[in-house]
Amino acid sequence: MVAANLAANHKYSHSHHSQKATPMRDVEITLGTIYKTGGRWRGAITTGYDGTGKRVRKYISAKTRSEVKRRQLELYRRLLTKQKQPEKITVETWSAQWLEQIAPKGVSPRVLQNLQSAHRRHIVPTLGKYKLADLGIEEVLELDQAVEKSGVSGRTQQAVRSALSTCLDAAVEWGKMDSNPCKRVKRPQARSATRTALAAKDAAHILEFSRAAKDPLFSLWASYLLLGFRRAELIALEWDRLDLERGLVDLSWQVQQIPWRHGPKCGCREGKPAVQCPRREHAVKPGQEFRELRASRILVRPKTAASIRMTPIPGPLLMVLRQHRDTARPNPYSLVWASESGLPLDPRIVTREWKKLQKSAGYEPVDLHSTRHTTASLLLAAGVPVEVIVQILGHSDVASTRRYAHLDQTMARAAMEKLGAILPLTGGV
């Protein structure tokens, strides 16, 4: 009744010209009936008349009658206030445009890669054929259910939802749709798994097992446990950033594998993969500092200032790294660790080899990233102050509120020597 009264009080007058000389008439924006057809509910709004005197209607569809009613009233109010109608663009079309032209300017290469994966594997297959204007609560829930049925983790479910929401936020900003329906649907729940850390004796046993087996990655595992660095930091480490005379390591670069994008004015046909573009370029943010490594792998600066740090090397590890320097094969990239063929290490292979080592040593595999927790636990057990651990491990969340950028290296070195005493490395490589 309220909608009917509103419709009666809002009239738009238009002059229509046609070959049939139809008379000019007042045009009412009126709500039509809601009905079900083909398994979906449908509603209409009369917005005027064409040149022959026929009514012009706009149609809304959804899976439920209540959702059609909501969209119908939303469109009705928008027309009354002369707001722009959402464009008839599909989710698939907008997704491709957003990922190619808009998203790369605002996110890191790693985040862009994750967004592309979420859209390619989940969002486009489920919602790609829907028009942006037709997206509502039911469609968001449809995606959530499809992602859950695919068997991925709760964290991945949340990531997919976030990828859709971010994409739709941009659609709203660019005037492609009026509101983001993700804002009206509760985010999928995810149960956080508790990360486990190796005890000191277990870490020492695994390292001793690796050394005795003449594992070519022994020095890498020792560095993980005694330095607490991230995988991307150690894989990217170059010899000129490893000072084995003063016992310092410079963590100013990380390795990332990022997607390609078409180069400017490349002239490629539509649909041609960016990797085949003769003028392809790395899909990095404008102004982002990076260095070429190999193929799609590049070296980039860490995402936070706290992650760029100079860390002392404990005595036992310094001995191991010097032995590794004397026996390691040179590689074209001057990396401290490389494959047998001289190529940069594949992060997935490093993770696989770490799990294989633990199983061979008789342990249930602990996630490689958890070695950082092991290092932190050992430093705490050695009585190292928290602010020193913050700098050593480059914890950005703590460093953002507690500034220890100018921590005396003497304190950090003393801390690392305590760690070396708790986790000694017997023998050589």
Side-chain angles (χ1 to χ4, degrees):
M1 182 64 69
V2 174
N5 291 335
L6 284 172
N9 292 328
H10 291 80
K11 296 184 179 182
Y12 287 67
S13 296
H14 299 275
S15 296
H16 300 276
H17 302 279
S18 70
Q19 295 178 350
K20 293 187 178 182
T22 54
M24 183 177 69
R25 57 189 299 180
D26 290 338
V27 176
E28 281 188 325
I29 299 177
T30 59
L31 295 169
T33 57
I34 295 177
Y35 56 95
K36 194 173 186 180
T37 177
R40 289 177 68 87
W41 288 88
R42 201 178 190 198
I45 294 180
T46 299
T47 61
Y49 297 86
D50 63 14
T52 64
K54 292 182 180 179
R55 293 184 179 183
V56 177
R57 293 187 175 92
K58 296 184 182 294
Y59 292 93
I60 307 99
S61 65
K63 292 183 177 180
T64 63
R65 190 181 191 282
S66 61
E67 179 65 10
V68 167
K69 187 65 176 177
R70 186 193 66 78
R71 295 182 186 182
Q72 187 184 47
L73 289 174
E74 184 178 277
L75 176 58
Y76 175 74
R77 296 188 185 99
R78 186 167 61 246
L79 291 172
L80 291 181
T81 55
K82 297 184 180 181
Q83 292 180 1
K84 181 180 179 181
Q85 179 193 9
E87 296 186 11
K88 295 181 179 179
I89 183 174
T90 64
V91 173
E92 183 175 13
T93 301
W94 172 247
S95 169
Q97 180 182 348
W98 177 69
L99 289 171
E100 179 74 20
Q101 302 175 12
I102 303 172
K105 299 177 181 179
V107 300
S108 68
R110 176 66 61 82
V111 173
L112 178 62
Q113 192 172 29
N114 292 337
L115 290 172
Q116 290 173 325
S117 176
H119 279 258
R120 182 181 67 253
R121 296 182 180 181
H122 303 285
I123 297 172
V124 171
T126 305
L127 304 180
K129 302 305 179 185
Y130 287 110
K131 294 177 182 177
L132 285 176
D134 288 339
L135 288 186
I137 293 175
E138 288 83 2
E139 287 70 31
V140 175
L141 291 175
E142 179 182 345
L143 175 65
D144 289 346
Q145 293 168 3
V147 176
E148 184 178 5
K149 288 181 180 178
S150 70
V152 299
S153 67
R155 289 295 184 191
T156 300
Q157 294 175 40
Q158 289 183 329
V160 173
R161 167 68 82 79
S162 296
L164 174 64
S165 185
T166 304
C167 179
L168 297 186
D169 277 342
V172 173
E173 183 180 351
W174 281 67
K176 306 298 182 181
M177 62 191 306
D178 293 315
S179 63
N180 182 354
C182 292
K183 307 295 186 182
R184 303 194 297 271
V185 186
K186 188 176 180 181
R187 192 164 177 250
Q189 297 296 310
R191 184 173 298 176
S192 299
T194 302
R195 287 189 181 273
T196 56
L198 288 168
K201 62 180 183 63
D202 296 331
H205 183 269
I206 290 174
L207 288 180
E208 178 60 24
F209 182 90
S210 176
R211 184 201 62 78
K214 298 188 181 302
D215 183 353
L217 294 180
F218 165 64
S219 57
L220 178 62
W221 310 136
S223 299
Y224 271 120
L225 287 164
L226 281 163
L227 295 174
F229 293 171
R230 300 173 179 88
R231 182 179 63 178
E233 293 171 335
L234 281 179
I235 292 178
L237 187 58
E238 300 156 297
W239 284 114
D240 61 1
R241 291 190 287 115
L242 185 61
D243 188 340
L244 297 182
E245 305 308 319
R246 294 190 299 160
L248 292 171
V249 56
D250 169 21
L251 291 181
S252 54
W253 296 94
Q254 294 182 352
V255 65
Q256 286 190 9
Q257 184 167 345
I258 64 170
W260 295 100
R261 66 184 173 207
H262 287 275
K265 299 180 181 180
C266 63
C268 292
R269 58 175 173 78
E270 186 176 354
K272 184 176 182 178
V275 69
Q276 299 176 9
C277 175
R279 301 185 65 180
R280 68 184 184 185
E281 60 184 20
H282 297 290
V284 297
K285 293 188 296 184
Q288 181 174 7
E289 186 179 3
F290 72 93
R291 293 163 51 205
E292 299 280 351
L293 187 57
R294 183 178 187 275
S296 60
R297 294 187 199 173
I298 62 175
L299 297 178
V300 299
R301 293 294 190 185
K303 62 182 180 179
T304 63
S307 294
I308 301 177
R309 58 201 189 278
M310 186 76 76
T311 301
I313 303 173
L317 179 60
L318 189 58
M319 174 190 65
V320 169
L321 290 175
R322 285 171 177 167
Q323 292 177 343
H324 174 63
R325 177 191 58 187
D326 296 338
T327 58
R329 296 178 181 177
N331 61 82
Y333 312 97
S334 191
L335 294 169
V336 177
W337 294 281
S339 68
E340 292 184 359
S341 58
L343 298 177
L345 291 175
D346 187 321
R348 296 169 297 180
I349 294 179
V350 171
T351 298
R352 185 187 69 192
E353 292 300 315
W354 169 245
K355 291 181 179 179
K356 185 188 298 184
L357 170 63
Q358 292 175 89
K359 287 183 178 180
S360 299
Y363 291 89
E364 284 297 318
V366 171
D367 184 80
L368 185 59
H369 188 75
S370 295
T371 57
R372 284 170 56 79
H373 297 262
T374 298
T375 307
S377 298
L378 294 175
L379 287 169
L380 285 170
V384 177
V386 174
E387 60 268 24
V388 179
I389 299 176
V390 164
Q391 175 163 328
I392 291 172
L393 299 184
H395 282 164
S396 59
D397 53 343
V398 178
S400 62
T401 55
R402 302 171 67 184
R403 305 295 182 181
Y404 298 106
H406 303 291
L407 181 69
D408 189 342
Q409 284 291 335
T410 303
M411 296 175 61
R413 185 177 296 279
M416 299 308 284
E417 293 305 328
K418 288 183 179 180
L419 178 58
I422 291 180
L423 192 61
L425 297 174
T426 59
V429 177

